Amino acid sequence: MKVLVLGAGAGGGFPQWNCHCRLCQGARNGSINALHRTQSSIAVSDDGNKWVVINASPDIRQQINARPQLANAEGARGSAIAGVVVTDAQIDHTTGLLILREGLPMDLYCTDVVRHQLTHEFPLLNILTHWEGGFRVHSIGVEPEKAFQVEGVPNLRFDPVILVSKAPPYSAHRHDPHTGDNIGLKITDSRTGEYLFYAPGLAEPDDNVRAAMAGAACVMVDGTLWQDDEMIQNGFSDSLGTDMGHLSVSGSKGMLALLSQFDRPRKVLIHINNTNPILDEDSKERQKVKDAGVDVAFDGMEIDI
Ligand code: MLT
Ligand code: MN
Ligand code: ZN
């Protein structure tokens, strides 16, 4: 299986267009050693020809144009995208569905809860029915969790993992969590049995998460914030990371501490917010991540599993 990072940043990307924090300024003017990152999305493939896009960011047009393997197709119009899966209804994971309208109809996989959010609260699926009928929506079962496949990519199996995180700020579920608001995915290559565990928004490492991490060949997980009060410290928000559905990277109960409990998987942080000091490759925080044997995803990163 091939895993391709389309966007390693969190919502807003890096640098964020209206942000003048030390990191965004430094990335903009080149005074720090940091790669720019577009917003949160990956693609997976069993043969390198047909790809499943997981999370459709507002940067998807730029992301596809930057990766010829996704743009490739025979005929006058088309792409190498077999289908799209979204793990929640967050703006940074779904706005790209609007950008894909020229390619409709297309298969989309999401939970019923997310489908409800995308038809009633942020009704882009209704709007898109005016483009060749819109997305063909397939339900991802979460009660109980049900594996699914995407047509055109026969060797990959997708298993939803129920996550404790947060529904989008616009949703009635923001403070009333429902199963299916947020899922992670175990993506297994059925030829080898090896899998990627992908979870860009993860607030609580419960037994589901631990089990998924323990057996994975690679984990690609929430690296949004270095510390829980990072947005408050920067003066950008009153919310802790955990209020927003993100477990911080540092701390005795943070992501690095959690990852240190598992020897087997390759470990990669993704969905990195523009306030996170690990973006600066010369920072002491980045060194700590390196010392823990953990990689920081970047746009264009490729992993073979
Ligand atoms: C998140 O991951 O918490 C959201 O995508 C934030 C946002 O709305 O940009
Ligand atoms: Mn996000
Ligand atoms: Zn910033």
Side-chain angles (χ1 to χ4, degrees):
M1 157 173 41
K2 292 184 179 304
V3 182
L4 174 62
V5 175
L6 300 181
F14 179 60
Q16 181 172 307
W17 65 278
N18 65 338
C19 190
H20 306 283
C21 74
R22 182 185 71 81
L23 292 165
C24 287
Q25 285 280 31
R28 218 175 267 123
N29 65 26
S31 63
I32 63 168
N33 181 14
L35 295 169
H36 290 202
R37 284 168 171 82
T38 61
Q39 296 170 79
S40 181
S41 177
I42 67 168
V44 293
S45 176
D46 60 358
D47 63 358
N49 291 318
K50 283 287 174 196
W51 294 82
V52 180
V53 168
I54 309 177
N55 292 322
S57 103
D59 300 323
I60 196 162
R61 177 185 166 280
Q62 175 188 347
Q63 292 167 341
I64 295 168
N65 283 336
R67 309 287 156 220
Q69 56 274 59
L70 282 192
N72 278 343
E74 283 170 15
R77 288 267 164 94
S79 80
I81 301 173
V84 181
V85 182
V86 296
T87 59
D88 54 54
Q90 294 275 3
I91 301 253
D92 58 347
H93 287 164
T94 57
T95 313
L97 298 174
L98 292 166
I99 312 298
L100 292 174
R101 65 194 177 285
E102 295 92 352
L104 294 175
M106 199 184 273
D107 289 320
L108 173 69
Y109 300 77
C110 63
T111 67
D112 287 343
V113 169
V114 165
R115 184 184 196 155
H116 183 89
Q117 287 157 351
L118 297 179
T119 47
H120 291 85
E121 299 187 296
F122 178 32
L124 55 75
L125 293 179
N126 309 352
I127 292 168
L128 287 168
T129 59
H130 298 278
W131 278 262
E132 304 296 332
F135 281 93
R136 295 182 291 251
V137 185
H138 306 267
S139 287
I140 301 177
V142 285
E143 285 178 316
E145 290 135 297
K146 198 164 173 283
F148 63 98
Q149 287 194 285
V150 174
E151 207 182 308
V153 188
N155 298 303
L156 298 188
R157 193 185 78 225
F158 298 78
D159 284 275
V161 177
I162 293 163
L163 295 182
V164 179
S165 185
K166 274 283 192 273
Y170 67 78
S171 171
H173 292 182
R174 181 70 166 180
H175 304 289
D176 177 22
H178 284 55
T179 302
D181 282 333
N182 304 84
I183 57 168
L185 292 166
K186 280 167 57 174
I187 306 157
T188 306
D189 188 321
S190 51
R191 295 166 296 192
T192 62
E194 297 284 6
Y195 70 84
L196 166 75
F197 175 52
Y198 171 63
L202 192 174
E204 245 177 71
D206 58 13
D207 290 345
N208 275 341
V209 167
R210 285 170 194 282
M213 283 184 171
C218 177
V219 300
M220 201 170 251
V221 290
D222 195 335
T224 308
L225 301 175
W226 177 252
Q227 58 190 56
D228 205 24
D229 62 353
E230 188 168 306
M231 298 300 281
I232 301 171
Q233 292 289 338
N234 273 280
F236 294 154
S237 157
D238 297 331
S239 303
L240 293 170
T242 38
D243 297 333
M244 299 185 288
H246 300 294
L247 179 71
S248 57
V249 174
S250 67
S252 61
K253 297 204 167 114
M255 189 60 83
L256 284 188
L258 175 65
L259 291 175
S260 73
Q261 297 168 27
F262 306 99
D263 290 332
R264 181 166 193 271
R266 171 157 184 203
K267 302 162 187 175
V268 183
L269 298 174
I270 198 161
H271 193 274
I272 319 295
N273 195 55
N274 60 76
T275 51
N276 190 331
I278 65 174
L279 289 165
D280 177 351
E281 297 189 25
D282 300 327
S283 66
K284 63 180 191 309
E285 292 86 357
R286 180 60 169 267
Q287 189 59 46
K288 280 189 189 166
V289 172
K290 246 184 242 167
D291 292 344
V294 176
D295 291 325
V296 178
F298 54 90
D299 293 17
M301 183 184 207
E302 292 181 39
I303 295 177
D304 281 313
I305 292 174

